[in-house]
Amino acid sequence: MFSSILRRKAMQSRGWRNHSSVTEFILLGFSRNPRTNWILFFIFLFLYLFTVLGNGFIVTLIRVDVRLHTPTYFFLSILSLLDLSYATTTVPQMLVHLVSKNKTISYIGCVVQMYFFLTLGITETWIFPAMAYGRYVAICYPLYCGVQMSQTLCILLAVSSALCGITCALVYTVFATNLPYCGRNEINHFFCEIPAVLKLACADTSLNDQVDFILGFILLLIPLALILASYIRIFMAILRIRSTQGQIKAFSTCASHITVVTMFYIPCMVMYVRPGSKAFPEDDKKLALFYNVISAFLNPIIYSLRNNNVKRAFLRLIGMTEGTQ
């Protein structure tokens, strides 16, 4: 199926090759009002700095505290690293464009940004099911957690998630770059996201819409189904706990992950599991801002405030508690 699609794309791109003349794009961002842009600059600068510090703090804390060297915190450190990198692919450039008259990005720069953004985002979609499975093993099989979630399996899940991100992002990017861009070069977005870029193509993008829908289904709905399957088993196990306090404690350990998954998957599904013709630029910018910036900003807060192990590890790090607890 994909080989025939690639042949059709190659024929289409050769027919338009001589007409493609766009060498750079203009990112319109959020507003043309300088005062509004300066306000947005300081808001997003704060969000980005907190994102870097918060996620960097979690990665460092998990690295230095041996009590957090478990599968659950291994995947949490990867999630924090992905969030930090994810935001860095878009926010620094957005900050520059908010206070600069020059809002251009080269064609190559746009393609590179698109690829790395997709790679990190797709990798994150598969890290979430791995985290859910880790919680399932920890709650349902606590005595065998070290056996069923071995270090080798954790590394294998992380590497396979990254390989899926690298490969699928390449498919997205190749299909987008094979289209000709020969007219308008203004992207109504704050970074080079696939749906916004495709609107500028000088050719029919229905095939791209089909490919994007198929990949979106595979990369969003299948991981989400795996997460739901893990949590159904977890909730069934929790309901068998006789102590109400024990049930509440078990539920609370899952609340952070469920909250983060919800914040990430819902905007992504609205963005990618739909035809490009149904996209509305202003709504898309808000959705992208939520799962790219706000989610990465909130994750450290959610995991820090709701996770007693992280809080205790922090207190041990600054010397306010001693001994093993």
Side-chain angles (χ1 to χ4, degrees), residues 71-73 75-76 79 128-142 145 149 227 230-231 233-235 237-238 249-258 260-261 302-303 306-307 309-310:
T72 297
Y73 294 102
F75 288 116
L76 177 56
L79 177 65
F128 283 124
M131 296 177 71
Y133 178 71
R135 291 178 184 275
Y136 160 71
V137 172
I139 291 174
C140 298
Y141 304 99
C145 184
M149 286 296 291
I227 294 170
S230 294
Y231 274 106
R233 298 292 298 273
I234 289 172
F235 292 151
I238 291 175
K249 183 178 179 181
F251 273 119
S252 67
T253 62
C254 303
S256 299
H257 187 244
I258 294 173
V260 170
V261 165
I302 292 170
Y303 280 110
R306 296 191 60 87
N307 194 305
N309 290 332
V310 171

mmCIF file of all heavy atoms in Angstrom, residues 71-73 75-76 79 128-142 145 149 227 230-231 233-235 237-238 249-258 260-261 302-303 306-307 309-310:
data_model
loop_
_atom_site.group_PDB
_atom_site.id
_atom_site.type_symbol
_atom_site.label_atom_id
_atom_site.label_comp_id
_atom_site.label_asym_id
_atom_site.label_seq_id
_atom_site.Cartn_x
_atom_site.Cartn_y
_atom_site.Cartn_z
ATOM 1 N N PRO A 71 11.468 1.130 37.488
ATOM 2 C CA PRO A 71 10.878 1.321 36.154
ATOM 3 C C PRO A 71 9.976 2.551 36.059
ATOM 4 O O PRO A 71 10.017 3.283 35.067
ATOM 5 C CB PRO A 71 10.080 0.022 35.950
ATOM 6 C CG PRO A 71 10.817 -0.994 36.749
ATOM 7 C CD PRO A 71 11.312 -0.256 37.967
ATOM 8 N N THR A 72 9.157 2.784 37.095
ATOM 9 C CA THR A 72 8.238 3.930 37.063
ATOM 10 C C THR A 72 8.992 5.239 36.884
ATOM 11 O O THR A 72 8.628 6.073 36.036
ATOM 12 C CB THR A 72 7.414 3.989 38.364
ATOM 13 O OG1 THR A 72 6.613 2.815 38.467
ATOM 14 C CG2 THR A 72 6.525 5.229 38.379
ATOM 15 N N TYR A 73 10.059 5.432 37.633
ATOM 16 C CA TYR A 73 10.792 6.700 37.580
ATOM 17 C C TYR A 73 11.769 6.739 36.408
ATOM 18 O O TYR A 73 12.137 7.826 35.949
ATOM 19 C CB TYR A 73 11.484 6.950 38.919
ATOM 20 C CG TYR A 73 10.482 7.161 40.012
ATOM 21 C CD1 TYR A 73 10.185 6.136 40.916
ATOM 22 C CD2 TYR A 73 9.765 8.347 40.106
ATOM 23 C CE1 TYR A 73 9.227 6.308 41.904
ATOM 24 C CE2 TYR A 73 8.810 8.530 41.078
ATOM 25 C CZ TYR A 73 8.537 7.512 41.967
ATOM 26 O OH TYR A 73 7.567 7.691 42.922
ATOM 27 N N PHE A 75 10.895 5.725 33.395
ATOM 28 C CA PHE A 75 10.062 6.268 32.316
ATOM 29 C C PHE A 75 9.662 7.720 32.591
ATOM 30 O O PHE A 75 9.509 8.509 31.655
ATOM 31 C CB PHE A 75 8.823 5.399 32.116
ATOM 32 C CG PHE A 75 9.105 4.078 31.482
ATOM 33 C CD1 PHE A 75 8.875 2.896 32.167
ATOM 34 C CD2 PHE A 75 9.617 4.008 30.195
ATOM 35 C CE1 PHE A 75 9.148 1.672 31.586
ATOM 36 C CE2 PHE A 75 9.891 2.783 29.597
ATOM 37 C CZ PHE A 75 9.666 1.613 30.305
ATOM 38 N N LEU A 76 9.504 8.080 33.862
ATOM 39 C CA LEU A 76 9.214 9.475 34.189
ATOM 40 C C LEU A 76 10.376 10.379 33.789
ATOM 41 O O LEU A 76 10.161 11.485 33.280
ATOM 42 C CB LEU A 76 8.930 9.616 35.683
ATOM 43 C CG LEU A 76 8.684 11.042 36.192
ATOM 44 C CD1 LEU A 76 7.543 11.709 35.443
ATOM 45 C CD2 LEU A 76 8.404 11.027 37.702
ATOM 46 N N LEU A 79 10.177 10.816 30.079
ATOM 47 C CA LEU A 79 9.091 11.741 29.745
ATOM 48 C C LEU A 79 9.520 13.188 29.980
ATOM 49 O O LEU A 79 9.252 14.065 29.150
ATOM 50 C CB LEU A 79 7.860 11.414 30.587
ATOM 51 C CG LEU A 79 6.658 12.345 30.407
ATOM 52 C CD1 LEU A 79 6.107 12.246 28.994
ATOM 53 C CD2 LEU A 79 5.563 12.026 31.430
ATOM 54 N N PHE A 128 4.039 6.774 27.072
ATOM 55 C CA PHE A 128 2.888 6.735 27.983
ATOM 56 C C PHE A 128 2.351 5.313 28.204
ATOM 57 O O PHE A 128 2.073 4.930 29.351
ATOM 58 C CB PHE A 128 1.776 7.651 27.479
ATOM 59 C CG PHE A 128 2.032 9.114 27.744
ATOM 60 C CD1 PHE A 128 2.029 10.034 26.713
ATOM 61 C CD2 PHE A 128 2.265 9.571 29.029
ATOM 62 C CE1 PHE A 128 2.265 11.383 26.958
ATOM 63 C CE2 PHE A 128 2.490 10.912 29.292
ATOM 64 C CZ PHE A 128 2.498 11.820 28.249
ATOM 65 N N PRO A 129 2.153 4.497 27.156
ATOM 66 C CA PRO A 129 1.729 3.108 27.408
ATOM 67 C C PRO A 129 2.758 2.321 28.217
ATOM 68 O O PRO A 129 2.379 1.472 29.036
ATOM 69 C CB PRO A 129 1.574 2.524 25.995
ATOM 70 C CG PRO A 129 1.370 3.686 25.110
ATOM 71 C CD PRO A 129 2.152 4.805 25.716
ATOM 72 N N ALA A 130 4.044 2.571 27.980
ATOM 73 C CA ALA A 130 5.082 1.893 28.765
ATOM 74 C C ALA A 130 4.966 2.268 30.241
ATOM 75 O O ALA A 130 5.116 1.419 31.127
ATOM 76 C CB ALA A 130 6.466 2.257 28.224
ATOM 77 N N MET A 131 4.694 3.543 30.518
ATOM 78 C CA MET A 131 4.496 3.986 31.896
ATOM 79 C C MET A 131 3.264 3.322 32.513
ATOM 80 O O MET A 131 3.288 2.897 33.681
ATOM 81 C CB MET A 131 4.352 5.508 31.950
ATOM 82 C CG MET A 131 5.594 6.272 31.523
ATOM 83 S SD MET A 131 5.338 8.063 31.513
ATOM 84 C CE MET A 131 5.249 8.416 33.274
ATOM 85 N N ALA A 132 2.179 3.229 31.725
ATOM 86 C CA ALA A 132 0.959 2.602 32.230
ATOM 87 C C ALA A 132 1.194 1.126 32.536
ATOM 88 O O ALA A 132 0.721 0.607 33.561
ATOM 89 C CB ALA A 132 -0.168 2.761 31.203
ATOM 90 N N TYR A 133 1.938 0.447 31.661
ATOM 91 C CA TYR A 133 2.238 -0.970 31.898
ATOM 92 C C TYR A 133 3.100 -1.132 33.149
ATOM 93 O O TYR A 133 2.899 -2.071 33.939
ATOM 94 C CB TYR A 133 2.948 -1.573 30.681
ATOM 95 C CG TYR A 133 3.324 -3.026 30.875
ATOM 96 C CD1 TYR A 133 2.349 -4.017 30.896
ATOM 97 C CD2 TYR A 133 4.657 -3.397 31.044
ATOM 98 C CE1 TYR A 133 2.683 -5.349 31.081
ATOM 99 C CE2 TYR A 133 5.005 -4.732 31.233
ATOM 100 C CZ TYR A 133 4.011 -5.704 31.242
ATOM 101 O OH TYR A 133 4.353 -7.016 31.439
ATOM 102 N N GLY A 134 4.045 -0.220 33.345
ATOM 103 C CA GLY A 134 4.880 -0.262 34.539
ATOM 104 C C GLY A 134 4.055 -0.114 35.804
ATOM 105 O O GLY A 134 4.296 -0.804 36.812
ATOM 106 N N ARG A 135 3.056 0.769 35.777
ATOM 107 C CA ARG A 135 2.177 0.935 36.945
ATOM 108 C C ARG A 135 1.309 -0.311 37.153
ATOM 109 O O ARG A 135 1.043 -0.712 38.290
ATOM 110 C CB ARG A 135 1.300 2.182 36.765
ATOM 111 C CG ARG A 135 2.091 3.472 36.847
ATOM 112 C CD ARG A 135 1.223 4.694 36.623
ATOM 113 N NE ARG A 135 2.044 5.893 36.628
ATOM 114 C CZ ARG A 135 2.409 6.555 37.717
ATOM 115 N NH1 ARG A 135 2.009 6.115 38.897
ATOM 116 N NH2 ARG A 135 3.153 7.631 37.638
ATOM 117 N N TYR A 136 0.865 -0.897 36.040
ATOM 118 C CA TYR A 136 0.071 -2.122 36.135
ATOM 119 C C TYR A 136 0.858 -3.235 36.831
ATOM 120 O O TYR A 136 0.350 -3.899 37.744
ATOM 121 C CB TYR A 136 -0.342 -2.549 34.730
ATOM 122 C CG TYR A 136 -0.731 -4.005 34.617
ATOM 123 C CD1 TYR A 136 -1.917 -4.483 35.178
ATOM 124 C CD2 TYR A 136 0.080 -4.907 33.937
ATOM 125 C CE1 TYR A 136 -2.273 -5.814 35.074
ATOM 126 C CE2 TYR A 136 -0.259 -6.241 33.829
ATOM 127 C CZ TYR A 136 -1.434 -6.690 34.394
ATOM 128 O OH TYR A 136 -1.780 -8.012 34.295
ATOM 129 N N VAL A 137 2.116 -3.419 36.443
ATOM 130 C CA VAL A 137 2.953 -4.448 37.051
ATOM 131 C C VAL A 137 3.215 -4.119 38.524
ATOM 132 O O VAL A 137 3.146 -4.993 39.395
ATOM 133 C CB VAL A 137 4.280 -4.601 36.280
ATOM 134 C CG1 VAL A 137 5.242 -5.528 37.022
ATOM 135 C CG2 VAL A 137 4.028 -5.118 34.871
ATOM 136 N N ALA A 138 3.504 -2.834 38.807
ATOM 137 C CA ALA A 138 3.825 -2.438 40.185
ATOM 138 C C ALA A 138 2.651 -2.638 41.130
ATOM 139 O O ALA A 138 2.831 -3.003 42.298
ATOM 140 C CB ALA A 138 4.281 -0.985 40.204
ATOM 141 N N ILE A 139 1.417 -2.413 40.648
ATOM 142 C CA ILE A 139 0.237 -2.513 41.506
ATOM 143 C C ILE A 139 -0.296 -3.945 41.559
ATOM 144 O O ILE A 139 -0.665 -4.444 42.628
ATOM 145 C CB ILE A 139 -0.858 -1.540 41.027
ATOM 146 C CG1 ILE A 139 -0.414 -0.092 41.276
ATOM 147 C CG2 ILE A 139 -2.180 -1.810 41.725
ATOM 148 C CD1 ILE A 139 -1.357 0.948 40.722
ATOM 149 N N CYS A 140 -0.329 -4.614 40.413
ATOM 150 C CA CYS A 140 -0.930 -5.947 40.359
ATOM 151 C C CYS A 140 0.047 -7.067 40.720
ATOM 152 O O CYS A 140 -0.365 -8.120 41.205
ATOM 153 C CB CYS A 140 -1.513 -6.200 38.967
ATOM 154 S SG CYS A 140 -2.841 -5.050 38.517
ATOM 155 N N TYR A 141 1.329 -6.859 40.474
ATOM 156 C CA TYR A 141 2.338 -7.881 40.776
ATOM 157 C C TYR A 141 3.530 -7.246 41.495
ATOM 158 O O TYR A 141 4.655 -7.270 40.989
ATOM 159 C CB TYR A 141 2.813 -8.566 39.487
ATOM 160 C CG TYR A 141 1.699 -9.178 38.682
ATOM 161 C CD1 TYR A 141 1.169 -8.499 37.585
ATOM 162 C CD2 TYR A 141 1.174 -10.424 39.006
ATOM 163 C CE1 TYR A 141 0.138 -9.054 36.836
ATOM 164 C CE2 TYR A 141 0.142 -10.987 38.264
ATOM 165 C CZ TYR A 141 -0.365 -10.300 37.180
ATOM 166 O OH TYR A 141 -1.388 -10.849 36.444
ATOM 167 N N PRO A 142 3.306 -6.670 42.657
ATOM 168 C CA PRO A 142 4.383 -5.936 43.344
ATOM 169 C C PRO A 142 5.585 -6.809 43.703
ATOM 170 O O PRO A 142 6.723 -6.329 43.686
ATOM 171 C CB PRO A 142 3.698 -5.392 44.602
ATOM 172 C CG PRO A 142 2.502 -6.271 44.803
ATOM 173 C CD PRO A 142 2.054 -6.665 43.438
ATOM 174 N N CYS A 145 7.682 -7.311 40.369
ATOM 175 C CA CYS A 145 7.890 -6.120 39.537
ATOM 176 C C CYS A 145 9.294 -6.090 38.938
ATOM 177 O O CYS A 145 9.478 -5.787 37.759
ATOM 178 C CB CYS A 145 7.646 -4.856 40.363
ATOM 179 S SG CYS A 145 7.760 -3.323 39.413
ATOM 180 N N MET A 149 9.403 -6.227 34.964
ATOM 181 C CA MET A 149 9.853 -4.944 34.399
ATOM 182 C C MET A 149 11.357 -4.812 34.655
ATOM 183 O O MET A 149 11.806 -3.937 35.397
ATOM 184 C CB MET A 149 9.086 -3.790 35.029
ATOM 185 C CG MET A 149 7.650 -3.661 34.558
ATOM 186 S SD MET A 149 7.490 -3.283 32.795
ATOM 187 C CE MET A 149 8.117 -1.612 32.741
ATOM 188 N N ILE A 227 -3.100 1.977 26.994
ATOM 189 C CA ILE A 227 -3.170 2.643 28.306
ATOM 190 C C ILE A 227 -4.476 2.293 29.011
ATOM 191 O O ILE A 227 -4.491 1.962 30.201
ATOM 192 C CB ILE A 227 -3.034 4.171 28.138
ATOM 193 C CG1 ILE A 227 -1.633 4.538 27.635
ATOM 194 C CG2 ILE A 227 -3.321 4.893 29.454
ATOM 195 C CD1 ILE A 227 -1.494 5.983 27.216
ATOM 196 N N SER A 230 -4.414 -1.224 30.374
ATOM 197 C CA SER A 230 -3.617 -1.322 31.604
ATOM 198 C C SER A 230 -4.395 -0.795 32.798
ATOM 199 O O SER A 230 -4.413 -1.417 33.873
ATOM 200 C CB SER A 230 -2.306 -0.537 31.449
ATOM 201 O OG SER A 230 -1.470 -1.128 30.472
ATOM 202 N N TYR A 231 -5.084 0.336 32.618
ATOM 203 C CA TYR A 231 -5.785 0.940 33.751
ATOM 204 C C TYR A 231 -7.067 0.191 34.114
ATOM 205 O O TYR A 231 -7.493 0.218 35.274
ATOM 206 C CB TYR A 231 -6.056 2.420 33.481
ATOM 207 C CG TYR A 231 -4.878 3.269 33.877
ATOM 208 C CD1 TYR A 231 -4.044 3.831 32.932
ATOM 209 C CD2 TYR A 231 -4.560 3.454 35.219
ATOM 210 C CE1 TYR A 231 -2.937 4.584 33.300
ATOM 211 C CE2 TYR A 231 -3.467 4.194 35.594
ATOM 212 C CZ TYR A 231 -2.655 4.761 34.640
ATOM 213 O OH TYR A 231 -1.554 5.488 35.017
ATOM 214 N N ARG A 233 -7.240 -3.060 34.097
ATOM 215 C CA ARG A 233 -6.709 -4.113 34.960
ATOM 216 C C ARG A 233 -6.290 -3.548 36.323
ATOM 217 O O ARG A 233 -6.490 -4.185 37.362
ATOM 218 C CB ARG A 233 -5.513 -4.789 34.273
ATOM 219 C CG ARG A 233 -5.845 -5.488 32.963
ATOM 220 C CD ARG A 233 -6.730 -6.700 33.196
ATOM 221 N NE ARG A 233 -6.077 -7.697 34.031
ATOM 222 C CZ ARG A 233 -5.273 -8.657 33.551
ATOM 223 N NH1 ARG A 233 -5.042 -8.744 32.246
ATOM 224 N NH2 ARG A 233 -4.730 -9.529 34.379
ATOM 225 N N ILE A 234 -5.712 -2.350 36.301
ATOM 226 C CA ILE A 234 -5.298 -1.716 37.563
ATOM 227 C C ILE A 234 -6.509 -1.435 38.449
ATOM 228 O O ILE A 234 -6.515 -1.753 39.651
ATOM 229 C CB ILE A 234 -4.519 -0.409 37.284
ATOM 230 C CG1 ILE A 234 -3.141 -0.719 36.688
ATOM 231 C CG2 ILE A 234 -4.362 0.412 38.571
ATOM 232 C CD1 ILE A 234 -2.393 0.500 36.205
ATOM 233 N N PHE A 235 -7.561 -0.853 37.886
ATOM 234 C CA PHE A 235 -8.744 -0.513 38.675
ATOM 235 C C PHE A 235 -9.444 -1.771 39.204
ATOM 236 O O PHE A 235 -9.976 -1.768 40.325
ATOM 237 C CB PHE A 235 -9.720 0.319 37.846
ATOM 238 C CG PHE A 235 -9.201 1.685 37.516
ATOM 239 C CD1 PHE A 235 -9.593 2.346 36.359
ATOM 240 C CD2 PHE A 235 -8.293 2.320 38.356
ATOM 241 C CE1 PHE A 235 -9.104 3.611 36.049
ATOM 242 C CE2 PHE A 235 -7.802 3.591 38.061
ATOM 243 C CZ PHE A 235 -8.202 4.229 36.901
ATOM 244 N N ALA A 237 -7.917 -4.481 40.035
ATOM 245 C CA ALA A 237 -7.092 -4.927 41.158
ATOM 246 C C ALA A 237 -7.298 -4.040 42.381
ATOM 247 O O ALA A 237 -7.354 -4.528 43.517
ATOM 248 C CB ALA A 237 -5.619 -4.928 40.749
ATOM 249 N N ILE A 238 -7.444 -2.732 42.158
ATOM 250 C CA ILE A 238 -7.644 -1.800 43.275
ATOM 251 C C ILE A 238 -8.967 -2.066 43.978
ATOM 252 O O ILE A 238 -9.064 -2.007 45.216
ATOM 253 C CB ILE A 238 -7.579 -0.337 42.771
ATOM 254 C CG1 ILE A 238 -6.145 0.012 42.327
ATOM 255 C CG2 ILE A 238 -8.044 0.628 43.855
ATOM 256 C CD1 ILE A 238 -6.016 1.387 41.712
ATOM 257 N N LYS A 249 -5.028 5.241 48.275
ATOM 258 C CA LYS A 249 -3.595 5.370 48.033
ATOM 259 C C LYS A 249 -3.226 4.835 46.660
ATOM 260 O O LYS A 249 -2.433 5.441 45.933
ATOM 261 C CB LYS A 249 -2.811 4.644 49.122
ATOM 262 C CG LYS A 249 -1.307 4.786 48.982
ATOM 263 C CD LYS A 249 -0.584 4.077 50.127
ATOM 264 C CE LYS A 249 0.937 4.212 49.965
ATOM 265 N NZ LYS A 249 1.665 3.518 51.061
ATOM 266 N N ALA A 250 -3.798 3.702 46.276
ATOM 267 C CA ALA A 250 -3.506 3.103 44.969
ATOM 268 C C ALA A 250 -4.026 3.987 43.840
ATOM 269 O O ALA A 250 -3.349 4.188 42.827
ATOM 270 C CB ALA A 250 -4.117 1.714 44.890
ATOM 271 N N PHE A 251 -5.245 4.517 44.003
ATOM 272 C CA PHE A 251 -5.797 5.414 42.989
ATOM 273 C C PHE A 251 -4.930 6.667 42.837
ATOM 274 O O PHE A 251 -4.727 7.165 41.725
ATOM 275 C CB PHE A 251 -7.232 5.817 43.344
ATOM 276 C CG PHE A 251 -8.272 4.866 42.852
ATOM 277 C CD1 PHE A 251 -9.103 4.210 43.749
ATOM 278 C CD2 PHE A 251 -8.432 4.610 41.505
ATOM 279 C CE1 PHE A 251 -10.075 3.316 43.307
ATOM 280 C CE2 PHE A 251 -9.397 3.727 41.043
ATOM 281 C CZ PHE A 251 -10.222 3.073 41.955
ATOM 282 N N SER A 252 -4.449 7.195 43.951
ATOM 283 C CA SER A 252 -3.664 8.441 43.899
ATOM 284 C C SER A 252 -2.357 8.262 43.146
ATOM 285 O O SER A 252 -1.860 9.211 42.532
ATOM 286 C CB SER A 252 -3.396 8.950 45.316
ATOM 287 O OG SER A 252 -2.525 8.067 46.010
ATOM 288 N N THR A 253 -1.799 7.043 43.176
ATOM 289 C CA THR A 253 -0.545 6.814 42.442
ATOM 290 C C THR A 253 -0.760 6.855 40.938
ATOM 291 O O THR A 253 0.184 7.080 40.174
ATOM 292 C CB THR A 253 0.063 5.452 42.815
ATOM 293 O OG1 THR A 253 -0.842 4.405 42.440
ATOM 294 C CG2 THR A 253 0.349 5.369 44.304
ATOM 295 N N CYS A 254 -2.009 6.647 40.491
ATOM 296 C CA CYS A 254 -2.318 6.655 39.055
ATOM 297 C C CYS A 254 -2.814 8.017 38.562
ATOM 298 O O CYS A 254 -2.835 8.264 37.355
ATOM 299 C CB CYS A 254 -3.382 5.604 38.737
ATOM 300 S SG CYS A 254 -2.943 3.927 39.223
ATOM 301 N N ALA A 255 -3.244 8.874 39.494
ATOM 302 C CA ALA A 255 -3.898 10.132 39.112
ATOM 303 C C ALA A 255 -3.005 11.032 38.274
ATOM 304 O O ALA A 255 -3.451 11.644 37.298
ATOM 305 C CB ALA A 255 -4.369 10.864 40.366
ATOM 306 N N SER A 256 -1.723 11.111 38.641
ATOM 307 C CA SER A 256 -0.799 11.997 37.920
ATOM 308 C C SER A 256 -0.665 11.565 36.472
ATOM 309 O O SER A 256 -0.747 12.389 35.539
ATOM 310 C CB SER A 256 0.578 11.992 38.589
ATOM 311 O OG SER A 256 0.502 12.444 39.911
ATOM 312 N N HIS A 257 -0.465 10.262 36.268
ATOM 313 C CA HIS A 257 -0.279 9.754 34.907
ATOM 314 C C HIS A 257 -1.531 9.936 34.069
ATOM 315 O O HIS A 257 -1.464 10.337 32.901
ATOM 316 C CB HIS A 257 0.120 8.275 34.963
ATOM 317 C CG HIS A 257 0.485 7.709 33.634
ATOM 318 N ND1 HIS A 257 -0.220 6.702 33.029
ATOM 319 C CD2 HIS A 257 1.485 8.024 32.780
ATOM 320 C CE1 HIS A 257 0.322 6.414 31.864
ATOM 321 N NE2 HIS A 257 1.369 7.195 31.689
ATOM 322 N N ILE A 258 -2.701 9.669 34.659
ATOM 323 C CA ILE A 258 -3.958 9.838 33.925
ATOM 324 C C ILE A 258 -4.165 11.296 33.522
ATOM 325 O O ILE A 258 -4.596 11.599 32.400
ATOM 326 C CB ILE A 258 -5.142 9.343 34.783
ATOM 327 C CG1 ILE A 258 -5.041 7.823 34.988
ATOM 328 C CG2 ILE A 258 -6.474 9.703 34.134
ATOM 329 C CD1 ILE A 258 -6.066 7.270 35.960
ATOM 330 N N VAL A 260 -1.822 13.632 32.992
ATOM 331 C CA VAL A 260 -0.862 13.991 31.950
ATOM 332 C C VAL A 260 -1.260 13.387 30.609
ATOM 333 O O VAL A 260 -1.177 14.040 29.560
ATOM 334 C CB VAL A 260 0.559 13.541 32.357
ATOM 335 C CG1 VAL A 260 1.526 13.682 31.195
ATOM 336 C CG2 VAL A 260 1.047 14.342 33.553
ATOM 337 N N VAL A 261 -1.698 12.125 30.629
ATOM 338 C CA VAL A 261 -2.135 11.453 29.396
ATOM 339 C C VAL A 261 -3.310 12.193 28.770
ATOM 340 O O VAL A 261 -3.347 12.422 27.556
ATOM 341 C CB VAL A 261 -2.510 9.982 29.691
ATOM 342 C CG1 VAL A 261 -3.300 9.382 28.531
ATOM 343 C CG2 VAL A 261 -1.257 9.162 29.943
ATOM 344 N N ILE A 302 2.670 18.536 38.266
ATOM 345 C CA ILE A 302 1.760 17.431 38.579
ATOM 346 C C ILE A 302 2.506 16.300 39.266
ATOM 347 O O ILE A 302 2.070 15.778 40.297
ATOM 348 C CB ILE A 302 1.072 16.933 37.287
ATOM 349 C CG1 ILE A 302 0.126 18.004 36.748
ATOM 350 C CG2 ILE A 302 0.307 15.639 37.558
ATOM 351 C CD1 ILE A 302 -0.419 17.708 35.371
ATOM 352 N N TYR A 303 3.650 15.921 38.713
ATOM 353 C CA TYR A 303 4.383 14.789 39.285
ATOM 354 C C TYR A 303 5.061 15.148 40.602
ATOM 355 O O TYR A 303 5.253 14.284 41.460
ATOM 356 C CB TYR A 303 5.411 14.273 38.280
ATOM 357 C CG TYR A 303 4.810 13.379 37.221
ATOM 358 C CD1 TYR A 303 4.706 13.802 35.904
ATOM 359 C CD2 TYR A 303 4.326 12.121 37.547
ATOM 360 C CE1 TYR A 303 4.143 12.986 34.932
ATOM 361 C CE2 TYR A 303 3.760 11.301 36.588
ATOM 362 C CZ TYR A 303 3.669 11.734 35.287
ATOM 363 O OH TYR A 303 3.105 10.926 34.342
ATOM 364 N N ARG A 306 2.009 15.657 43.444
ATOM 365 C CA ARG A 306 1.189 14.490 43.735
ATOM 366 C C ARG A 306 2.020 13.248 44.031
ATOM 367 O O ARG A 306 1.459 12.179 44.287
ATOM 368 C CB ARG A 306 0.241 14.202 42.555
ATOM 369 C CG ARG A 306 -0.774 15.304 42.284
ATOM 370 C CD ARG A 306 -1.819 14.818 41.306
ATOM 371 N NE ARG A 306 -2.533 13.660 41.833
ATOM 372 C CZ ARG A 306 -3.607 13.731 42.611
ATOM 373 N NH1 ARG A 306 -4.098 14.899 42.963
ATOM 374 N NH2 ARG A 306 -4.199 12.637 43.039
ATOM 375 N N ASN A 307 3.334 13.370 43.993
ATOM 376 C CA ASN A 307 4.182 12.196 44.171
ATOM 377 C C ASN A 307 5.008 12.339 45.441
ATOM 378 O O ASN A 307 5.944 13.141 45.502
ATOM 379 C CB ASN A 307 5.089 12.026 42.943
ATOM 380 C CG ASN A 307 5.750 10.668 42.910
ATOM 381 O OD1 ASN A 307 6.417 10.270 43.864
ATOM 382 N ND2 ASN A 307 5.573 9.959 41.817
ATOM 383 N N ASN A 309 7.085 10.228 46.772
ATOM 384 C CA ASN A 309 8.460 9.757 46.616
ATOM 385 C C ASN A 309 9.363 10.853 46.049
ATOM 386 O O ASN A 309 10.514 11.004 46.466
ATOM 387 C CB ASN A 309 8.506 8.520 45.723
ATOM 388 C CG ASN A 309 7.903 7.302 46.389
ATOM 389 O OD1 ASN A 309 7.908 7.195 47.614
ATOM 390 N ND2 ASN A 309 7.365 6.386 45.589
ATOM 391 N N VAL A 310 8.827 11.607 45.081
ATOM 392 C CA VAL A 310 9.604 12.707 44.499
ATOM 393 C C VAL A 310 9.839 13.786 45.553
ATOM 394 O O VAL A 310 10.949 14.320 45.680
ATOM 395 C CB VAL A 310 8.884 13.298 43.268
ATOM 396 C CG1 VAL A 310 9.567 14.581 42.806
ATOM 397 C CG2 VAL A 310 8.860 12.281 42.132
#
